[in-house]
């Protein structure tokens, strides 16, 4: 039987074989039905804590969702987890049958894509840290675009001189890129296998292990009501050093 920590992280292979190894009890089946109804009726991805409030006291929500995910494996609709929220999504291999014409949204600029990648891999990251990695000034417009898409959020203030604002990714970012958790972002070996690093890499070059935690880090503090200051202050060189 899989332990509690692994129930949330079932991948396709595990989901396919879970019900073959275990048979849910009648009580667990009842909890599965409740979770299924709650997720189906929710207007947006539903959190585990919210489901726990609707289930009988002492119900094992993690196990009920693991069984339910396994039961939906291979169907036209799958139960999917993003962060700690769950929703039903059409099976990826059926996307061809559901394609439809729609207006193509404006693509992010190169500057915005680079900034988004830095935040995803280095979060929580401050504006100064982003600029140091990119080697150019970060314009207010670039960060505004990322915040407007809902892919980037303000996390807190760094406990450092100037108390700079830190940035991180959101569940909407995970949902758009088809990730269950930020740790699913490709590492250096994955990027090499995809042919993105054909040349010789500089000595000591590496890709950090992406991580994210909704709670503030030890070196962060909550945002107050005071102005955000340098996080959104226009850069004097905006439009010159920043790529469009």
């Amino acid at each position: 039987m899989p332990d509690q920590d692994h129930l949330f992280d079932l991948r396709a292979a595990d989901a396919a074989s879970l019900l073959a190894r275990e048979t849910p009890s009648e009580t667990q089946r009842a909890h599965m039905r409740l979770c299924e109804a709650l997720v189906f009726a929710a207007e947006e991805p539903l959190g585990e804590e919210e489901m726990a409030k609707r289930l009988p006291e002492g119900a094992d929500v993690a196990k009920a969702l693991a069984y339910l995910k396994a039961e939906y494996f291979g169907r036209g609709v799958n139960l999917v987890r993003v962060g700690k929220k769950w929703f039903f999504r059409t099976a990826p291999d059926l996307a061809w049958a559901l394609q439809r014409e729609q207006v193509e949204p404006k693509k992010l600029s190169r500057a915005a894509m680079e900034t988004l990648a830095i935040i995803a891999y280095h979060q929580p990251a401050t504006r100064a840290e982003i600029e140091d990695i990119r080697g150019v000034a970060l314009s207010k417009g670039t960060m505004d675009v990322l915040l407007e898409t809902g892919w980037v959020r303000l996390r807190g203030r760094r406990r450092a001189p100037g108390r700079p604002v830190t940035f991180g990714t959101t569940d909407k970012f995970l949902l758009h890129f088809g990730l269950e958790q930020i740790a699913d972002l490709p590492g250096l070996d994955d990027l090499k296998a995809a042919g993105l690093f054909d040349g010789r890499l500089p000595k000591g070059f590496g890709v950090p292990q992406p991580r994210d935690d909704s709670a503030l880090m030890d070196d962060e503090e909550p945002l107050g009501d005071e102005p955000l200051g340098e996080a959104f202050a226009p850069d004097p060189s905006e439009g010159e050093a920043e790529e469009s």
Side-chain angles (χ1 to χ4, degrees):
M1 179 179 296
D3 58 46
Q4 189 80 359
D5 292 335
H6 294 317
L7 284 172
F8 285 120
D9 295 320
L10 285 173
R11 295 298 188 265
D14 299 319
S17 60
L18 176 61
L19 293 180
R21 300 193 310 268
E22 303 177 28
T23 301
S25 65
E26 291 186 9
T27 299
Q28 290 169 335
R29 282 284 181 189
H31 295 167
M32 289 168 61
R33 293 184 66 232
L34 279 170
C35 289
E36 182 180 29
L38 290 170
V39 175
F40 179 79
E43 296 181 356
E44 57 186 20
L46 190 61
E48 297 154 8
E49 293 183 358
E50 183 62 28
M51 280 186 270
K53 295 177 183 178
R54 304 297 184 96
L55 267 66
E57 185 176 354
D60 192 335
V61 179
K63 183 165 289 188
L65 289 168
Y67 282 137
L68 194 60
K69 179 176 181 178
E71 197 164 80
Y72 271 91
F73 175 77
R75 294 187 182 181
V77 174
N78 299 150
L79 181 63
V80 179
R81 178 174 68 90
V82 169
K84 286 195 173 182
K85 294 185 177 181
W86 295 78
F87 64 101
F88 286 112
R89 181 168 64 186
T90 305
D93 61 310
L94 298 180
W96 61 270
L98 302 173
Q99 290 179 346
R100 62 181 181 182
E101 294 184 2
Q102 61 181 23
V103 177
E104 181 69 21
K106 183 179 179 180
K107 293 184 178 180
L108 292 180
S109 66
R110 175 181 174 182
M113 288 298 294
E114 290 177 355
T115 301
L116 179 62
I118 291 170
I119 293 174
Y121 279 91
H122 295 268
Q123 59 187 304
T126 65
R127 173 177 176 168
E129 290 167 342
I130 296 169
E131 292 177 336
D132 182 57
I133 294 173
R134 292 192 64 227
V136 294
L138 176 64
S139 75
K140 177 179 181 294
T142 295
M143 189 58 72
D144 283 344
V145 168
L146 294 177
L147 291 168
E148 287 172 5
T149 63
W151 294 350
V152 168
R153 65 187 174 92
L154 304 175
R155 287 179 51 97
R157 288 190 177 275
R158 180 69 52 79
R159 299 180 189 275
R163 299 173 61 246
V165 171
T166 59
F167 300 93
T169 54
T170 65
D171 285 347
K172 191 173 180 180
F173 168 83
L174 298 176
L175 180 61
H176 180 83
F177 289 98
L179 304 170
E180 282 196 3
Q181 52 193 352
I182 203 68
D184 291 336
L185 282 169
L188 182 57
D189 291 338
D190 299 315
L191 296 174
K192 286 180 178 178
L196 299 179
F197 290 117
D198 294 331
R200 185 174 181 180
L201 296 175
K203 185 178 180 180
F205 180 87
V207 174
Q209 177 62 38
R211 60 181 174 81
D212 184 27
D213 189 339
S214 58
L216 294 177
M217 309 298 287
D218 292 338
D219 62 349
E220 289 182 292
E221 59 185 23
L223 291 168
D225 296 330
E226 72 278 14
L228 293 176
E230 62 86 30
F232 298 101
D235 192 278
S237 61
E238 183 175 345
E240 298 177 4
E242 183 72 27
E243 296 95 340
S244 59

